[in-house]
Amino acid sequence: MATNEHLPALAAKISATLAVKPEIFITHPAELRILQPMTDEELRQFAAKRGWDIVRRIGGRQIEFYNNAGRRTER
C-alpha cells in the first residue's frame, strides 16, 4: 500500500466524522492528494480494514466514505 505520513491523520478525521455522521465526502485538494496515489484496490483495503465503504465520484475529485456495519472495525 502506498505510504503517506499524512494518511493516519486523515484516517482519524474520517473515523471521527463517521462516528457522528453516516458519511464523509473528501473533496479538499490536500486531502485528495493523500488518497489519489493509492490504487482502487489499496483504497478499498484501507477502507475495509476500518469497516468503511468507499465511492469515488466526479472523476476522482470526490471520495466518499461510509460506515459498513457488516465489516469488522480495527483500530
Side-chain angles (χ1 to χ4, degrees):
M1 182 181 300
T3 58
N4 184 309
E5 65 186 65
H6 303 289
L7 190 58
L10 182 57
K13 175 186 176 176
I14 295 168
S15 182
T17 301
L18 290 177
V20 295
K21 292 177 58 180
E23 77 278 322
I24 181 172
F25 305 107
I26 303 299
T27 58
H28 193 279
E31 294 171 338
L32 287 172
R33 276 193 297 272
I34 295 168
L35 299 173
Q36 284 176 335
M38 299 170 76
T39 66
D40 281 339
E41 182 60 30
E42 289 172 335
L43 191 55
R44 292 190 190 289
Q45 288 175 2
F46 167 76
K49 181 179 175 186
R50 291 159 177 83
W52 307 331
D53 279 329
I54 63 146
V55 177
R56 283 189 187 215
R57 301 219 191 256
I58 314 171
R61 290 180 287 177
Q62 177 174 311
I63 301 175
E64 303 170 14
F65 288 89
Y66 300 91
N67 278 319
N68 183 336
R71 293 199 178 157
R72 186 176 143 224
T73 302
E74 294 181 17
R75 299 201 189 250

